[in-house]
Amino acid sequence: MNKWKDILTEFMKTEATEYVEIEVREIEHIFALLLIGSFTGMPAPPAGLVLKLLPYLGPELLIMEKRAVNDDDLFGQMAGHFDI
Amino acid sequence: MMIFSGRWQDTSISKKKDNSQDFKDKIYFIIGKGGTGKTTIAASLGISLAKRGKKVLLVSLDPAHNLGDVLEKKLSDKAEKILENLEGIEVDIDEARDTYLKNTMNKMKDYYNYLQIFNLDNLLDIFTEAPGIEEYVIMELIWKYLKMDKYDYFIFDTAPTGITLKVLTLPYINLQWIKKLIKLRENILDKRSSIENIKGPSYINLNNEKVKLSAEKDHDPVLKELNRYYTRIKWIYDIFINENITEAIIISNNNRLSALESERALTKLKKIKMSVSKMIINKIKYRENEKYNYTYNNYIKKLRDDYNNIEWINLPDIKVSQLKEEHLQILGDRLINKGLYNKGGNNE
């Protein structure tokens, strides 16, 4: 019985946070993109500012990298999330 | 774009107070085209103020230093005594840049040590040539000097106008970036923490080491660094735009090219709200045997009409290659006592 309860709780938790998770992920990407956007030709922040932040950005860059490796079909994924 | 609504309008940044208020000193930036006489005027102001008992730090930010030559004193990147109350520095920008980058790299080593292939020493060379670093280093140096308590006056004999204007606009540009990044970061942390409240903390795998993704504003190193940097830049920015503290003095010669460069400087400084207190037209040639009789170049004339709220000072061409200390003092005194040379006016 407890096992079922756990599964249900887990399910509810996932349901509750699903959209926020997508949102936070997207903002994380925007944040990283703003900082290292010069790779894609976007206007970059002043070099000194990036240098100041770079030491603390390990996890953020990893998130970005994973995203780049794992995602083949961004639009399909988005459509899936929003039941389109 | 509906998913990005909400906390973007966060106003916590603008509430932070203006922290330039406790800064009691005065700062002069001497700006102008090369060869117009910036260094001589910086030195004369310095001497004149020092003789009045003010503690003055004269800083030459120009990579082609000649402050030491003007003062006939060997200067270095440490403050050297020139006279009673007057100290001078000739900044070594290359060295300052290397120190700045090395410090950053060392900080980076602590965090990126899991990346063995990430050879930081090699990267140093790349960053050295990165655009914008030089201006950054100059700004850091200005910050460092302004933090020195023992002076009443700071006089910066600046680098060529282009670089100087970039340095002076840097705090403004940085502030815009930092504000945006802080908002974004706070937004990320808010969302992460609401997820954490429901599902518990999330982790990311950094080279087989589980690292918790920070969700609290007080513990996020990125937000902390942003805030720390914001405070520093805001301090400089507030000081730069406070007309009771910072004054730009523009030196021009009576010709078209330096008039055009001065105009660019005036426009840019206005944009970043830095006040220009004096416009000095240096090395004016008077007509023979007629004291105070001269003609402004048309470009200078137009500039004078456009910016008549600034104090305009005319200085004659004295045809002397090396001014002695007492002459520099007389010049400085005149500049401080509101331009005695102005008597003649624009005699056209």
Side-chain angles (χ1 to χ4, degrees):
Chain A
M1 187 61 194
N2 255 348
K3 195 179 152 202
W4 284 110
K5 198 180 153 195
D6 283 351
I7 290 172
L8 191 64
T9 321
E10 227 18 72
F11 174 72
M12 297 301 272
K13 277 182 180 174
T14 310
E15 278 282 285
T17 55
E18 191 183 7
Y19 289 107
V20 192
E21 273 181 51
I22 298 168
E23 192 181 343
V24 76
R25 213 183 57 201
E26 289 308 314
I27 309 171
E28 275 164 359
H29 296 148
I30 292 175
F31 189 79
L33 206 56
L34 273 179
L35 288 172
I36 56 170
S38 46
F39 291 127
T40 60
M42 276 171 65
L49 178 57
V50 182
L51 272 180
K52 276 264 184 301
L53 290 177
L54 213 46
Y56 312 104
L57 284 176
E60 328 299 309
L61 293 176
L62 212 70
I63 292 176
M64 191 80 179
E65 195 193 321
K66 272 192 181 154
R67 169 88 166 183
V69 172
N70 296 337
D71 290 354
D72 299 326
D73 184 7
L74 283 179
F75 288 111
Q77 211 178 68
M78 264 298 171
H81 283 311
F82 292 105
D83 286 335
I84 300 167
Chain B
M1 286 304 283
M2 71 165 219
I3 54 171
F4 302 125
S5 61
R7 295 190 191 85
W8 283 72
Q9 271 75 39
D10 182 79
T11 51
S12 60
I13 299 160
S14 50
K15 279 181 206 149
K16 280 177 191 166
K17 67 170 178 111
D18 172 355
N19 48 16
S20 72
Q21 299 302 330
D22 46 3
F23 192 84
K24 293 277 179 278
D25 312 331
K26 197 133 180 78
I27 304 162
Y28 293 117
F29 282 100
I30 319 287
I31 298 168
K33 201 168 157 45
T36 46
K38 291 189 295 277
T39 308
T40 310
I41 285 172
S44 62
L45 268 177
I47 291 175
S48 175
L49 287 165
K51 297 275 182 189
R52 286 156 199 246
K54 307 285 184 199
K55 296 207 167 8
V56 184
L57 181 66
L58 252 177
V59 183
S60 167
L61 298 173
D62 195 339
H65 296 292
N66 53 11
L67 184 62
D69 303 339
V70 169
L71 291 161
E72 294 180 86
K73 168 106 195 159
K74 202 163 162 34
L75 297 174
S76 72
D77 57 353
K78 305 267 175 309
E80 313 258 359
K81 189 177 164 183
I82 299 166
L83 303 166
E84 189 66 36
N85 292 330
L86 180 64
E87 288 178 21
I89 293 177
E90 280 184 350
V91 167
D92 184 345
I93 300 206
D94 289 341
E95 163 125 22
R97 181 187 56 202
D98 289 350
T99 320
Y100 171 78
L101 287 174
K102 263 189 200 117
N103 288 343
T104 312
M105 288 301 164
N106 283 340
K107 224 191 247 176
M108 225 162 325
K109 270 183 191 152
D110 301 340
Y111 287 86
Y112 287 86
N113 54 4
Y114 52 84
L115 289 169
Q116 300 299 326
I117 43 163
F118 197 67
N119 191 338
L120 284 162
D121 297 322
N122 288 347
L123 266 182
L124 198 67
D125 300 335
I126 301 173
F127 280 121
T128 310
E129 302 303 327
I133 288 292
E134 192 162 308
E135 291 100 74
Y136 235 89
V137 172
I138 297 178
M139 190 181 75
E140 292 276 324
L141 284 170
I142 293 177
W143 180 81
K144 193 176 95 186
Y145 298 135
L146 295 183
K147 280 283 176 191
M148 293 176 171
D149 285 333
K150 59 178 187 170
Y151 304 105
D152 308 318
Y153 281 79
F154 296 91
I155 301 173
F156 292 100
D157 174 21
T158 62
T161 320
I163 298 179
T164 306
L165 291 177
K166 269 191 198 152
V167 173
L168 296 180
T169 35
L170 211 48
Y172 172 79
I173 296 170
N174 264 303
L175 272 185
Q176 307 309 314
W177 271 97
I178 300 174
K179 277 184 198 172
K180 283 273 181 307
L181 290 174
I182 288 181
K183 270 185 198 170
L184 262 178
R185 193 69 197 171
E186 286 182 340
N187 198 354
I188 291 174
L189 296 176
D190 278 343
K191 299 232 150 52
R192 275 189 191 164
S193 84
S194 36
I195 296 170
E196 199 178 291
N197 284 341
I198 299 170
K199 290 176 85 178
S202 13
Y203 295 88
I204 190 158
N205 203 350
L206 275 184
N207 203 27
N208 298 328
E209 199 185 322
K210 254 173 119 186
V211 178
K212 182 183 171 294
L213 279 180
S214 49
E216 296 144 64
K217 286 181 191 171
D218 298 339
H219 298 297
D220 180 46
V222 179
L223 188 65
K224 262 196 211 162
E225 185 62 33
L226 277 169
N227 276 322
R228 189 159 51 222
Y229 205 46
Y230 178 86
T231 316
R232 175 192 286 204
I233 300 286
K234 184 85 168 62
W235 184 79
I236 299 184
Y237 180 71
D238 287 341
I239 283 174
F240 277 8
I241 61 162
N242 187 334
E243 57 179 12
N244 298 319
I245 298 174
T246 306
E247 288 177 23
I249 298 176
I250 298 185
I251 321 286
S252 174
N253 289 158
N254 194 13
N255 61 42
R256 173 173 164 265
L257 287 181
S258 55
L260 289 175
E261 189 155 325
S262 307
E263 188 177 12
R264 273 195 288 275
L266 282 162
T267 319
K268 194 94 182 214
L269 291 174
K270 196 172 172 185
K271 203 170 162 192
I272 57 166
K273 299 189 186 106
M274 183 183 273
S275 95
V276 177
S277 65
K278 289 179 174 66
M279 180 83 203
I280 297 178
I281 309 298
N282 196 12
K283 302 184 189 170
I284 292 186
K285 290 189 171 59
Y286 291 115
R287 291 192 200 113
E288 230 165 292
N289 303 325
E290 289 181 67
K291 220 178 178 189
Y292 303 127
N293 197 349
Y294 59 89
T295 315
Y296 267 158
N297 176 288
N298 282 341
Y299 287 88
I300 295 280
K301 218 184 294 166
K302 185 179 172 295
L303 208 58
R304 177 151 193 169
D305 292 341
D306 293 348
Y307 292 91
N308 51 18
N309 53 336
I310 301 171
E311 186 192 340
W312 281 66
I313 299 173
N314 303 317
L315 294 177
D317 187 4
I318 43 166
K319 301 185 182 86
V320 174
S321 59
Q322 180 69 52
L323 286 170
K324 292 264 170 289
E325 185 193 311
E326 56 266 31
H327 298 134
L328 287 170
Q329 193 192 339
I330 294 171
L331 175 58
D333 285 347
R334 295 201 169 174
L335 292 176
I336 292 168
N337 296 332
K338 303 212 167 178
L340 291 176
Y341 278 106
N342 258 352
K343 270 184 198 160
N346 188 0
N347 193 347
E348 237 272 287

